[in-house]
Amino acid sequence: MCGIVGGVASQDVISILLDGLKRLEYRGYDSSGLVVLAENNSLNRARAVGKVVNLEEKLKTKKNKIKGNIGIAHTRWATHGEPSNRNAHPHICNHSVSVVHNGIIENYLDLKTSQKEQGYKFTSDTDTEVIAHAIHLSMQSSETLLEAVQKATATFDGAYGLGVVSPKYPDTLIATRKGSPLVIGVGKNGNYIASDQMALLPVTKEFIFLEEGDIAELTLTKVTIYDEGGNQVERPVKTSKLNKGQVSLGDYQHFMQKEIFEQPQAIRDTLESRITKENVLISAFGPKAQRIFKKIKQVQIIACGTSYNAGLVAKYWFEDIARIRCNIEVASEYRYRHPILLDGTLFVTISQSGETADTLEALKTAKKINSKINTLCICNSAESSITRGSELTFLTHAGPEIGVASTKAFTTQLVALALLVTSMGVTQKTINKKQEKAIVEGLKRLPGLVNKALKQEDQIIELAKRFKDKTSALFVGRGTMHAIAMEGALKLKEISYIHAEAYPAGELKHGPIALIDESIPVVAIAPNDELLNKLKSNLQEIKSRGSQMIVFEDEDSHVKSMKAMDVIPVTSNLGRITAPIIFTIPLQLLSYHVALVKGTDVDKPRNLAKSVTVE
Ligand code: G6P
């Protein structure tokens, strides 16, 4: 992953670069750096370990006071080489060229060996440094920086989004991408690049989304783009609907907290124009959706992280409610294991960012395995690689999600999946009018139900205090609640660093029950469904092993409270679709407040990044 910003402007670009980097910190934050071309035509660089504020502070010191109208900047999530000053980008070769890179150059060791033989000296452990040397080498036989970058990138295997500047070409910034995202911001007083449009919203709302293999030459007044074959091409300029306020904290302490509380609105926005009084609008999945859904025999879902957990809920819904066969797998496994894809498969990818490398590659792999399959993505980013690679797209309207731990993206993915399951069931006549109406009514109640669940916060704050000295926790549930337990455990791991596992409640007896003692809190989810009595027996089994328990229940579940067991009624009268969405809320609040108790960096937990655009 990593985040890139760059620009050629009529003013000093330092503040634009720093502001852009801060907006990209969700992509990584173990070090950052920037280079500007100074008036004397030299490359002036500053780098710092840790978050972007450290770089900002460094730039305030006398020694590092630099400015320039053209520059590139980077916030890093380490892949090759530890987080350190010397491994931070930008990398420079022979004072003549500087690069920032997002992605991985897979053949960097071969390139490094041959570059060393040619006398290049390495000052970092990164794969990126070979890019700087490769461009420097091809500059010797090129007339323009663009030509040099084209020649160099032809030797790379792997993925890259690149920003390149050189004092030899003081008016030009080169940008190119393959397998990693990069957008161009077209401004009134300059032209810019970034890994994500959010970085550039303070300077422009006009964006060009580069295609795979595109290379662009930016000057103060002009953007010229060439495709992978070297032909000059026109790419449309699109006006972003995002505004910069959407990416600020407002009155909240953390983005995660803000995003948890934005869920009623995010769900409303995701449902808007997708349902009528009694029906789901199948056309919400695109004009071809009805025709495609009719012939589908099975669904294959692929995703990573939280998006995978959303898919896991949908597997139950597809088979249980719509009676359509459904498989789900994590993308990093699927893409490498030569899977069988039958004709009549709808290949569904779920991704908040639409840029997750494993999910994108799994999609490409699937299309190669069987070109007859249909593809659909559920995504929160309109102009992403995954939406562009999919036949049908359903956009969740969650708005920008900045907190690394996903919250509103997850619940809106569930809403999208509920609409998909219903649309397919209706098309295939496995869901009748009455059932469809009941589902739509349930979906409409969601914003109110989420608000009600959010009201449990004070109680959850108290419960969170108990996790202060805990190092492990167990989450249990049955059916879709097993998937929700997985999401609850993932949230806790991600932001409080407590080891957490999720188990189907009925599976505990086959191993994990051996772990249970008073040191391991168990969090259980008890909806009022057909498995409730079975779950109650499982809770007894856990309780008799001395565990401290927290049970989030439906008011009608009437789980009997016992010593060292807190039973929290979250809601009542939920259906099979609404229940998993609503029971997610207390688990999000719990992990958020445990993280506060533990004093971790909630929005930027260690070692993680929001958008993982590397393998
Ligand atoms: C990272 C993030 C997770 C996210 C996962 C998949 O691991 O930290 O929050 O769920 O990527 O991301 P996607 O954008 O594809 O949903």
Side-chain angles (χ1 to χ4, degrees):
M1 34 253 178
C2 307
I4 290 176
V5 199
V8 200
S10 53
Q11 67 188 87
D12 177 24
V13 290
I14 294 274
S15 62
I16 298 173
L17 298 182
L18 281 175
D19 188 50
L21 285 186
K22 284 186 191 160
R23 288 162 177 270
L24 291 180
E25 272 190 311
Y26 73 87
R27 304 179 64 84
Y29 34 77
D30 58 42
S31 59
S32 62
L34 54 78
V35 147
V36 285
L37 278 180
E39 274 162 9
N40 64 1
N41 246 354
S42 63
L43 290 168
N44 274 351
R45 174 168 67 179
R47 297 185 287 182
V49 175
K51 307 216 165 91
V52 177
V53 285
N54 298 352
L55 177 66
E56 190 173 36
E57 285 308 312
K58 195 168 193 178
L59 286 166
K60 284 182 191 156
T61 58
K62 224 174 180 179
K63 208 173 112 206
N64 289 291
K65 277 236 174 310
I66 53 176
K67 60 179 188 166
N69 292 9
I70 171 165
I72 49 177
H74 187 269
T75 179
R76 179 167 186 250
W77 184 80
T79 57
H80 296 65
E82 55 167 18
S84 64
N85 238 4
R86 61 193 284 278
N87 287 332
H89 300 214
H91 291 285
I92 295 177
C93 177
N94 287 349
H95 308 285
S96 339
V97 63
S98 180
V99 297
V100 284
H101 169 221
N102 169 30
I104 291 180
I105 302 302
E106 287 174 358
N107 58 337
Y108 85 102
L109 282 176
D110 293 344
L111 291 169
K112 195 168 179 173
T113 309
S114 92
Q115 288 172 354
K116 273 185 177 166
E117 281 164 14
Q118 293 172 77
Y120 283 102
K121 298 260 172 315
F122 282 79
T123 58
S124 80
D125 310 314
T126 64
D127 53 329
T128 301
E129 206 178 345
V130 300
I131 302 176
H133 296 325
I135 296 172
H136 177 268
L137 185 64
S138 38
M139 276 166 76
Q140 318 312 316
S141 61
S142 304
E143 284 181 8
T144 62
L145 186 56
L146 182 114
E147 188 189 334
V149 177
Q150 273 171 325
K151 282 184 190 160
T153 50
T155 66
F156 302 155
D157 290 338
Y160 55 80
L162 293 180
V164 185
V165 290
S166 163
K168 202 174 160 200
Y169 305 96
D171 308 319
T172 313
L173 191 163
I174 302 297
T176 180
R177 72 166 284 252
K178 197 172 189 178
S180 297
L182 204 62
V183 299
I184 293 177
V186 183
K188 286 205 178 70
N189 302 313
N191 292 310
Y192 308 90
I193 60 165
S195 303
D196 181 331
Q197 49 179 313
M198 274 201 294
L200 300 176
L201 288 175
V203 284
T204 185
K205 291 195 101 185
E206 306 299 313
F207 292 99
I208 299 172
F209 297 89
L210 293 179
E211 300 276 331
E212 279 286 279
D214 277 357
I215 182 164
E217 185 178 66
L218 285 76
T219 63
L220 181 59
T221 51
K222 212 165 146 207
V223 176
T224 319
I225 303 173
Y226 301 85
D227 68 11
E228 203 170 2
N231 310 303
Q232 193 174 336
V233 285
E234 290 294 321
R235 301 278 181 231
V237 181
K238 298 189 178 173
T239 305
S240 173
K241 291 194 184 76
L242 296 175
N243 64 58
K244 52 183 176 172
Q246 280 176 295
V247 284
S248 63
L249 262 179
D251 293 334
Y252 289 93
Q253 207 185 337
H254 296 103
F255 280 106
M256 182 182 181
Q257 182 193 26
K258 178 178 181 234
E259 288 153 10
I260 289 174
F261 281 87
E262 279 173 350
Q263 288 177 109
Q265 191 55 42
I267 291 173
R268 237 175 256 126
D269 292 343
T270 301
L271 286 171
E272 194 189 310
S273 310
R274 268 89 183 249
I275 49 174
T276 63
K277 207 162 149 248
E278 297 183 358
N279 305 103
V280 173
L281 293 172
I282 298 169
S283 57
F285 293 90
K288 289 194 283 176
Q290 179 119 22
R291 187 175 50 77
I292 290 173
F293 290 173
K294 246 188 200 144
K295 57 174 195 183
I296 294 302
K297 294 198 181 75
Q298 59 272 319
V299 174
Q300 173 68 59
I301 301 178
I302 293 294
C304 303
T306 288
S307 299
Y308 171 80
N309 291 339
L312 208 50
V313 174
K315 176 183 162 64
Y316 285 93
W317 286 343
F318 267 117
E319 302 206 338
D320 184 16
I321 303 173
R323 308 298 297 147
I324 295 170
R325 201 161 50 222
C326 178
N327 283 318
I328 170 155
E329 194 168 335
V330 288
S332 54
E333 284 298 314
Y334 188 86
R335 60 182 286 201
Y336 288 117
R337 73 166 182 84
H338 309 294
I340 295 165
L341 257 179
L342 301 174
D343 290 355
T345 299
L346 180 66
F347 191 87
V348 177
T349 51
I350 310 170
S351 174
Q352 188 284 127
S353 60
E355 300 294 349
T356 302
D358 284 326
T359 310
L360 181 60
E361 284 308 316
L363 173 61
K364 289 184 190 161
T365 306
K367 289 200 276 191
K368 271 189 218 145
I369 295 173
N370 185 345
S371 58
K372 287 199 218 132
I373 57 158
N374 294 106
T375 60
L376 180 149
C377 74
I378 290 175
C379 189
N380 196 36
S381 170
E383 296 296 339
S384 63
S385 306
I386 293 179
T387 54
R388 275 183 263 146
S390 305
E391 210 177 348
L392 303 177
T393 293
F394 183 97
L395 289 177
T396 47
H397 292 158
E401 193 180 63
I402 314 289
V404 165
S406 184
T407 52
K408 61 178 181 171
F410 178 70
T411 44
T412 52
Q413 283 167 351
L414 289 179
V415 169
L417 287 160
L419 296 174
L420 178 63
V421 168
T422 313
S423 298
M424 291 185 62
V426 168
T427 316
Q428 302 210 355
K429 299 198 170 52
T430 47
I431 292 180
N432 63 32
K433 288 272 156 228
K434 201 169 145 217
Q435 289 168 307
E436 184 184 8
K437 184 173 173 224
I439 292 172
V440 170
E441 279 167 359
L443 291 172
K444 284 189 187 153
R445 286 174 65 216
L446 277 173
L449 290 168
V450 173
N451 266 324
K452 185 175 169 196
L454 287 169
K455 298 221 161 72
Q456 306 297 326
E457 190 178 21
D458 287 346
Q459 220 172 335
I460 291 171
I461 290 173
E462 288 308 308
L463 295 174
K465 292 179 186 157
R466 292 197 205 144
F467 286 73
K468 187 162 180 12
D469 304 312
K470 301 291 183 218
T471 50
S472 279
L474 206 56
F475 286 69
V476 296
R478 302 191 72 128
T480 52
M481 296 307 155
H482 169 231
I484 298 306
M486 283 181 61
E487 178 56 12
L490 180 60
K491 288 287 87 85
L492 195 70
K493 280 189 269 226
E494 282 178 313
I495 60 168
S496 71
Y497 317 146
I498 292 177
H499 165 245
E501 272 194 73
Y503 256 89
E507 185 65 14
L508 285 180
K509 57 184 177 288
H510 297 296
I513 203 158
L515 293 171
I516 292 176
D517 61 22
E518 60 287 350
S519 70
I520 300 194
V522 177
V523 180
I525 313 160
N528 181 22
D529 61 15
E530 66 279 9
L531 291 171
L532 180 62
N533 284 335
K534 301 221 174 287
L535 180 81
K536 282 182 177 171
S537 308
N538 300 142
L539 298 184
Q540 288 295 337
E541 289 157 16
I542 300 168
K543 194 74 226 63
S544 40
R545 268 82 191 174
S547 163
Q548 277 210 342
M549 294 186 71
I550 299 172
V551 183
F552 293 110
E553 69 157 4
D554 189 298
E555 282 162 16
D556 303 318
S557 295
H558 303 300
V559 174
K560 212 164 115 245
S561 175
M562 288 174 268
K563 195 163 159 262
M565 180 202 251
D566 287 274
V567 181
I568 321 287
V570 177
T571 185
S572 64
N573 192 22
L574 298 181
R576 281 180 295 180
I577 288 206
T578 43
I581 299 173
I582 298 307
F583 278 105
T584 301
I585 309 296
L587 301 186
Q588 293 173 342
L589 287 170
L590 182 67
S591 60
Y592 173 70
H593 286 289
V594 172
L596 292 190
V597 169
K598 289 265 182 186
T600 57
D601 189 340
V602 174
D603 284 333
K604 294 175 197 132
R606 69 183 181 203
N607 305 340
L608 297 180
K610 183 141 195 79
S611 181
V612 186
T613 52
V614 294
E615 275 202 51

